[in-house]
């Protein structure tokens, strides 16, 4: 299929992928609510929070109000439907949700690209554009983890937000130094690169360095190099 043919329907393609990413993120939020033993309403709340939370936070910060999820009712409706279906289907599927992380990686790339593009349209600087891409991609997950009383996954060692951040920087590079690539081309490149990085991280188990405390003997030796650690 030629790219020129795709370009004719670029707005429809991007909207479809945006809605697809919203549904996938909503399912991941609903699964977290289900595994945290929340009731039906709690599962729906987490589904909506993950599906549209990042985009709503981005729109509020850059002044794009009313936020997109309030202008187009399809986003919240799809989140609610995905949450409700997950609530009833999850017990029957058990742990057979292995495809969800892969689909989640697709949504991560799509949301990163869309977040960067929208921030650029509202006159944000290059750093803010990259950060808005990250916020759109991972903001819903942060809200989900906070509501589920967990340390947000993006603050731990998983190579998730890093993939979105690299995608945001790629978007800035394309806008700044490769202006001949149009909106649709940037969308495809950034989404594809983020997807590739995320899948590679999942396959090869990439991890960022995690913080840890030193043993008592090591701390004592660093503070008092000439003294022996007293015995208890």
């Amino acid at each position: 299929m030629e790219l020129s043919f795709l370009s004719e329907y670029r707005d429809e393609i991007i909207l479809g992928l945006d809605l697809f990413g919203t549904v996938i993120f909503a399912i991941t939020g609903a699964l977290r609510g289900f595994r945290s033993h929340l009731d039906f309403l709690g599962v729906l709340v987490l589904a909506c929070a993950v599906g549209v939370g990042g985009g709503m936070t981005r729109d509020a910060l850059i002044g794009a109000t009313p936020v997109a999820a309030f202008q187009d009712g399809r986003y919240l409706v799809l989140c609610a439907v995905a949450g409700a279906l997950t609530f009833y289907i999850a017990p029957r599927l058990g742990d057979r949700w292995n495809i969800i992380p892969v689909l989640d990686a697709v949504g991560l790339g799509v949301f990163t690209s869309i977040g960067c593009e929208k921030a650029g349209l509202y006159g944000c600087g290059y750093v803010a554009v990259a950060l808005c891409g990250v916020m759109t991609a991972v903001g819903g997950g942060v809200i989900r983890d906070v509501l589920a009383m967990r340390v947000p996954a993006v603050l731990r060692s998983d190579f998730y937000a890093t993939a979105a951040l690299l995608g945001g920087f790629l978007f800035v590079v394309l806008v700044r130094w490769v202006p001949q690539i149009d909106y649709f081309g940037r969308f495809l490149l950034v989404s594809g690169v983020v997807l590739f990085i995320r899948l590679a991280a999942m396959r090869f188990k990439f991890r960022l360095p995690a913080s840890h405390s030193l043993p008592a003997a090591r701390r004592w030796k660093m503070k008092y190099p000439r003294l022996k650690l007293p015995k208890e």
Side-chain angles (χ1 to χ4, degrees):
M1 184 177 295
E2 297 181 356
L3 187 61
S4 59
F5 173 78
L6 293 177
S7 298
E8 296 178 6
Y9 302 95
R10 66 177 190 177
D11 293 337
E12 292 80 2
I13 292 172
I14 293 174
L15 175 61
L17 288 173
D18 191 20
L19 293 173
F20 172 78
T22 299
V23 170
I24 295 303
F25 276 24
I27 291 174
T28 64
L31 284 175
R32 172 55 56 199
F34 176 79
R35 291 168 180 168
S36 298
H37 305 291
L38 301 184
D39 62 12
F40 181 75
L41 179 60
V43 170
L44 292 188
V45 168
L46 282 188
C48 293
V50 180
V52 301
M56 292 176 68
T57 304
R58 175 207 62 215
D59 289 350
L61 289 177
I62 66 177
T65 54
V67 297
F70 289 168
Q71 295 185 48
D72 190 340
R74 287 177 291 184
Y75 288 93
L76 288 173
V77 170
L78 286 174
C79 288
V81 171
L85 291 176
T86 303
F87 181 84
Y88 289 107
I89 294 175
R92 296 172 174 80
L93 294 182
D95 295 328
R96 288 175 290 180
W97 292 87
N98 296 333
I99 191 62
I100 293 299
V102 177
L103 299 179
D104 180 75
V106 177
L108 185 74
V110 169
F111 277 19
T112 299
S113 181
I114 290 176
C116 289
E117 192 68 45
K118 190 162 188 177
L121 291 176
Y122 278 78
C124 295
Y126 289 138
V127 174
V129 166
L131 293 179
C132 280
V134 177
M135 185 185 308
T136 307
V138 307
V142 172
I143 297 173
R144 171 201 64 203
D145 291 339
V146 170
L147 292 177
M149 295 185 294
R150 294 165 54 92
V151 177
V154 299
L155 301 181
R156 291 177 283 169
S157 58
D158 197 10
F159 208 86
Y160 190 82
T162 308
L165 184 60
L166 293 175
F169 285 141
L170 173 62
F171 183 92
V172 171
V173 169
L174 294 176
V175 171
R176 179 68 178 83
W177 286 288
V178 197
Q180 60 269 27
I181 298 180
D182 64 1
Y183 166 45
F184 188 56
R186 289 195 301 270
F187 172 82
L188 293 178
L189 281 173
V190 173
S191 300
V193 168
V194 174
L195 172 62
F196 175 78
I197 293 174
R198 178 56 184 156
L199 292 179
M202 293 166 55
R203 174 64 178 83
F204 298 105
K205 302 186 184 302
F206 294 157
R207 293 290 186 271
L208 294 177
S211 60
H212 60 278
S213 59
L214 294 174
R218 182 75 178 276
R219 295 198 304 270
W220 178 272
K221 186 174 182 180
M222 292 176 63
K223 189 173 182 180
Y224 307 107
R226 297 186 178 182
L227 295 178
K228 293 184 178 181
L229 181 65
K231 296 182 180 181
E232 297 182 357

